[in-house]
Amino acid sequence: MLTRAIRVKQRLCIKRTTTRKNICRIFHYDKIMGQRQDSFSGPVVMGDPDIIMSQKAHGTTEFPVQSNLRYNCDGEVADRICCYNRHYAEHSGYWLKTSFMKEIDENSGEITFYDSVSGKPLFIAPRGRTFDEFVRESKAHGWPSFRDDEVVWENVRILPDGETVSIDGTHLGHNIPDGNNRYCINLVSVAGNPN
């Protein structure tokens, strides 16, 4: 059932042309999965969407995304997805079109992924699996996919509808469990430089 729902999420991705870039509209997690939860299994730290994702100086964040994002991520797309968005995602497979796979490989060890707005560490991967397993799972789902052991819980919160956000209000992606928590995250949201 969950695997089918994941496929449905990818099929429901509707391309929307803007004046400069295409972005994907992802239907709300709770519409796809048919659930809203007060908690998820594992070490998940839940967040209050009314507080974390409230209107701030720059959308849901105090500041725009960093000007020099890693992996040649598009700053304009990143700003829209990270700061002014609760429903959109980069295209499925976008991360493979960046320089990520050219800059990172199995010899890189654990890679720290930083908030594109605040520069705080959000994910450290791969942990508890190989680089090849991390890449294979991410390719299968279309977005970098992280597991509970790879989340920096001091800086990441999961909202009741599965939306995954930083404590600073950056939209990251969604938790789409497949028996265990799996965080499908936009690379543009975690391509920041450390603060």
Side-chain angles (χ1 to χ4, degrees):
M1 173 84 179
L2 290 177
T3 304
R4 182 182 177 285
I6 293 163
R7 286 192 202 113
V8 169
K9 176 187 180 206
Q10 291 179 339
R11 278 196 305 260
L12 291 176
C13 184
I14 300 171
K15 290 184 181 177
R16 181 177 150 241
T17 304
T18 63
T19 54
R20 297 190 184 174
K21 296 284 175 191
N22 288 332
I23 57 176
C24 288
R25 175 160 169 74
I26 300 297
F27 288 88
H28 253 302
Y29 173 87
D30 55 71
K31 296 204 191 292
I32 296 164
M33 302 299 283
Q35 64 187 15
R36 184 174 169 84
Q37 297 183 204
D38 292 327
S39 65
F40 291 86
S41 65
V44 172
V45 180
M46 299 297 291
D48 182 340
D50 295 330
I51 296 171
I52 298 172
M53 301 306 283
S54 64
Q55 184 66 36
K56 299 180 186 73
H58 192 78
T60 57
T61 63
E62 290 295 334
F63 305 100
V65 297
Q66 298 172 359
S67 60
N68 57 339
L69 296 177
R70 298 186 310 168
Y71 316 122
N72 293 318
C73 287
D74 184 303
E76 187 177 313
V77 171
D79 200 56
R80 272 196 312 267
I81 289 172
C82 294
C83 307
Y84 290 98
N85 161 64
R86 303 287 301 282
H87 310 288
Y88 294 92
E90 63 196 30
H91 284 295
S92 174
Y94 170 85
W95 69 283
L96 293 169
K97 296 174 181 148
T98 68
S99 63
F100 179 80
M101 292 300 293
K102 294 177 185 93
E103 294 181 37
I104 306 297
D105 62 26
E106 65 275 354
N107 297 318
S108 300
E110 290 185 342
I111 303 141
T112 302
F113 295 84
Y114 298 94
D115 188 322
S116 291
V117 175
S118 72
K120 292 178 181 172
L122 302 174
F123 300 93
I124 302 171
R127 268 198 179 155
R129 58 182 171 163
T130 66
F131 177 79
D132 186 53
E133 290 168 328
F134 167 73
V135 170
R136 190 172 37 247
E137 179 177 57
S138 298
K139 283 182 177 179
H141 297 293
W143 289 267
S145 295
F146 301 93
R147 296 296 179 162
D148 285 333
D149 291 343
E150 297 169 325
V151 181
V152 179
W153 289 112
E154 301 86 67
N155 300 323
V156 175
R157 297 294 180 266
I158 309 303
L159 305 184
D161 66 355
E163 183 180 5
T164 304
V165 300
S166 78
I167 59 170
D168 296 304
T170 305
H171 171 81
L172 305 175
H174 286 85
N175 178 16
I176 304 176
D178 59 358
N180 294 302
N181 293 314
R182 181 175 55 80
Y183 308 95
C184 273
I185 303 300
N186 297 294
L187 184 63
V188 297
S189 301
V190 294
N193 292 287
N195 60 2

